[in-house]
Amino acid sequence: MQQELKDIIAISRTLGADTNLTQGGGGNTSVKTDDGEFMYLKASGSALKNMSSRKGWRRLRIAPILATLKNSTAIKKDMVFRERQIAQLLKKACYDNTTANAQPSIEAQMHALLRQYTIHLHPVAASPYVCSRQGKVVIEKLFAREKLPPLWVPCADTGYMTARKIARLLPGYRREHNALPKILFLQKHGIVINTDTASSAIALTRRVIKTCQRHLGPLKVKPISAPTAGDVTAARKAIRQALAPNKTKIPTIKHYFDKDIARLLAQPDIAKWCKIPPLVPHEISYSGGMPLWIDEIDPQHITRKIYQSLKRTGKQPVSFLVKDIGLFVVAPAAKSRTIKDVVTAGLVIRQHLDQLGGPDPMTKRQQLFTNTVYAYSHS
Ligand SMILES: [Zn+2]
């Protein structure tokens, strides 16, 4: 096996196993070959932690990927046609003998622009900065002594359009610092770290996250104690009745209660955080937004809440955070755990937004892009 492939698998499995760094199939990694001709890149839709010698990656030629950024007039304007065109171009750039023929990550262009080892994640500790009004200013202060300070990338459609934005920002950064940035903060999205070795990429990722975490500070509340089995059953029954009053078939309702959820339920502002609209694309594509807050175990009360939420968001909620009892996820078993990870991370992120000037959620336009395009072509 080529060393670069060994490296991308090791990096992906090491970082991907930590739900504080990425949740569900989010995040992506790449390693370029020494001659700069090829790039191993995470495949779309699969989780980083599941990458292996046989699956979860593609090997692509770099030149045709960069060409899509240089000849951008050849790229379609309409967002749906554009994304389809880009997906086809990426597939054509693949040069390997993987049997699954998976789609490469839609963030291929961004990876192509950066150093040999590139890591893109959605860390819980970094997300409050990219999703708040004052996050950029605080980031500048926190990393002021960095030889290569972070590059802040204003929000753009995930994938190709974000790469185009980065491509426009890089020449100015190079002029000022005589090098490429090693740390990028993508507004309303996540972080990107890129270096020249596998070990330094992991080390820098951990250092950036530590700095972000230290400033946010620890959670000061005491977690609530675990609910009784009777309470869990009663809450599940009420949710089931509210969702399917005529006993129509609905997916499994799974209950979750862990340290994070116990702490979140102890927070006086938790109801408010559940109402904050999606902050980043993966909250839409993997979880359908934050859970519906339920403070009364009564089917009628829950029905009313579902109706209000439908009016507000246009979507049926798939997760419910019930006061004193825990998180309930209504989804097929294979998706349940991912939804739990994404909404728990989303709520932990939300509790830090006020200290950073308040939330800066996705606009309607950004949500539309995610709902129409990104939902089917994951990072
Ligand atoms: Zn991402």
Side-chain angles (χ1 to χ4, degrees), residues 69-343:
L69 292 168
K70 285 191 191 111
N71 315 325
S72 55
T73 46
I75 304 296
K76 295 206 166 46
K77 291 267 183 299
D78 176 90
M79 117 182 135
V80 175
F81 289 111
R82 178 190 76 215
E83 295 301 319
R84 207 174 288 161
Q85 185 188 10
I86 293 292
Q88 281 165 0
L89 287 166
L90 290 182
K91 206 72 175 277
K92 259 170 79 182
C94 288
Y95 192 82
D96 56 32
N97 48 15
T98 54
T99 47
N101 199 25
Q103 183 68 38
S105 161
I106 63 165
E107 261 137 349
Q109 277 92 356
M110 172 180 80
H111 285 265
L113 286 167
L114 300 170
R115 287 186 179 79
Q116 192 172 7
Y117 291 83
T118 300
I119 297 169
H120 162 55
L121 297 167
H122 307 147
V124 173
S127 299
Y129 298 90
V130 293
C131 299
S132 60
R133 293 178 203 283
Q134 295 298 319
K136 179 174 184 270
V137 181
V138 180
I139 285 293
E140 279 163 10
K141 276 190 205 143
L142 287 179
F143 293 91
R145 292 167 73 182
E146 209 69 36
K147 218 168 93 195
L148 293 173
L151 175 68
W152 179 268
V153 182
C155 184
D157 288 348
T158 307
Y160 177 70
M161 294 309 276
T162 297
R164 248 166 76 166
K165 197 151 261 181
I166 295 171
R168 275 202 295 273
L169 293 169
L170 289 182
Y173 189 97
R174 261 183 201 274
R175 268 197 302 279
E176 201 177 329
H177 303 285
N178 215 10
L180 284 174
K182 286 188 173 175
I183 309 164
L184 293 86
F185 281 84
L186 311 183
Q187 188 185 23
K188 301 184 195 188
H189 190 160
I191 62 161
V192 182
I193 302 294
N194 68 110
T195 69
D196 299 317
T197 65
S199 59
S200 63
I202 292 182
L204 183 58
T205 302
R206 297 214 188 279
R207 184 161 70 75
V208 168
I209 287 160
K210 219 171 171 180
T211 304
C212 289
Q213 182 67 62
R214 202 180 301 132
H215 177 75
L216 295 175
L219 302 175
K220 291 195 185 78
V221 293
K222 236 179 90 185
I224 65 160
S225 44
T228 66
D231 284 345
V232 174
T233 307
R236 185 185 277 119
K237 204 173 144 199
I239 293 170
R240 187 178 299 280
Q241 274 177 325
L243 285 172
N246 306 323
K247 298 212 161 107
T248 42
K249 223 172 148 31
I250 57 165
T252 323
I253 304 180
K254 211 164 157 32
H255 172 249
Y256 294 98
F257 187 89
D258 62 14
K259 248 194 281 162
D260 279 336
I261 294 170
R263 263 201 212 102
L264 285 164
L265 284 172
Q267 303 270 5
D269 283 338
I270 185 69
K272 188 180 96 180
W273 298 334
C274 287
K275 275 197 174 174
I276 298 175
L279 298 169
V280 289
H282 63 268
E283 285 185 355
I284 296 179
S285 51
Y286 289 107
S287 77
M290 286 301 103
L292 190 61
W293 170 249
I294 303 293
D295 50 5
E296 220 180 289
I297 303 176
D298 165 51
Q300 273 183 355
H301 170 78
I302 301 173
T303 306
R304 243 188 338 267
K305 286 256 182 162
I306 292 173
Y307 179 69
Q308 286 163 0
S309 161
L310 257 168
K311 257 180 43 184
R312 199 174 60 240
T313 66
K315 276 186 185 172
Q316 171 107 335
V318 294
S319 61
F320 299 80
L321 189 63
V322 184
K323 186 173 187 259
D324 298 332
I325 297 177
L327 180 73
F328 291 83
V329 176
V330 186
K335 285 191 177 162
S336 194
R337 177 74 203 201
T338 296
I339 295 173
K340 181 252 168 196
D341 287 345
V342 174
V343 300

Side-chain angles (χ1 to χ4, degrees), residues 79 154-158 187-188 278-279 281 284 360-372 374:
M79 117 182 135
C155 184
D157 288 348
T158 307
Q187 188 185 23
K188 301 184 195 188
L279 298 169
I284 296 179
D360 185 15
M362 294 171 78
T363 62
K364 286 269 180 289
R365 166 64 183 72
Q366 290 155 351
Q367 292 192 36
L368 178 76
F369 172 80
T370 308
N371 278 316
T372 50
Y374 181 73

